[in-house]
Amino acid sequence: MDDCIFCKIAAGKVPCNKVYEDKYTIAFLDINPAAKGHTLVIPKEHYETMTDIAPAVMQSLSLSLQKVAKKVHDGLLADGYNVYINNKPAAGQVVMHAHFHIVPRKHDDGIRIQWPQKRYGPGEMEDIKSKVSGAVTGNDRG
Ligand SMILES: [Zn+2]
């Protein structure tokens, strides 16, 4: 992907503040952090969303996430951390190269990750459960 900033970072064509790298993944500090130490963990290969990521890469990426989360948490003496990913613009994805956020947290740091809670109507939860559990994706077909 010629125009993808994260592909350029992964290829070393654009500098970053790298905190971790292995065969499939690279992790670096977000330049617009929610908190100091906010880190992005990305696959080196270009995939748009989490569900696009090849299974072998996702397995490696999961272990990288765990390692980097521990580095962020322990290295910064954080009280906690959030791990999240925005998939597609409707969910807030801006750079269309899949990337996980690790945000170190302190008690009373003022960061709020919250939403107004909804309620299911009668029978609605069963209907939603059927739609979700019955969904077939490319990865399920394997
Ligand atoms: Zn990319």
Side-chain angles (χ1 to χ4, degrees), residues 1 4-8 44-47 95-98:
M1 298 296 286
C4 175
I5 185 67
F6 287 175
C7 281
K8 290 176 182 170
K44 288 181 174 176
E45 277 185 281
H46 185 89
Y47 299 99
V95 176
M96 300 309 291
H97 180 132

Side-chain angles (χ1 to χ4, degrees), residues 120 123-136:
Y120 287 107
E124 192 177 16
M125 205 168 185
E126 284 296 316
D127 181 47
I128 298 291
K129 184 182 80 175
S130 296
K131 287 177 178 169
V132 173
S133 64
V136 176

Side-chain angles (χ1 to χ4, degrees), residues 17 19 23 53-54 65 71-73 88 107 113 120 134 137:
N17 289 289
V19 297
K23 183 177 177 186
I53 297 172
L65 270 173
K71 287 172 170 286
V72 169
H73 178 269
K88 300 189 175 183
H107 292 293
I113 298 174
Y120 287 107
T137 67

Side-chain angles (χ1 to χ4, degrees), residues 24-114:
Y24 293 112
T25 66
I26 184 168
F28 52 91
L29 298 182
D30 193 315
I31 59 169
N32 297 307
K36 291 176 182 175
H38 180 165
T39 298
L40 302 179
V41 181
I42 70 169
K44 288 181 174 176
E45 277 185 281
H46 185 89
Y47 299 99
E48 271 198 23
T49 69
M50 187 181 78
T51 47
D52 294 328
I53 297 172
V57 175
M58 189 64 212
Q59 287 177 336
S60 176
L61 187 56
S62 298
L63 296 175
S64 299
L65 270 173
Q66 191 180 42
K67 288 177 191 166
V68 176
K70 182 167 177 54
K71 287 172 170 286
V72 169
H73 178 269
D74 294 358
L76 298 174
L77 302 176
D79 297 323
Y81 58 96
N82 293 107
V83 178
Y84 68 92
I85 181 170
N86 301 324
N87 293 286
K88 300 189 175 183
Q93 186 175 8
V94 177
V95 176
M96 300 309 291
H97 180 132
H99 54 286
F100 288 81
H101 298 258
I102 299 174
V103 179
R105 301 296 303 273
K106 288 285 192 185
H107 292 293
D108 303 319
D109 60 14
I111 298 171
R112 295 286 174 264
I113 298 174
Q114 61 185 31

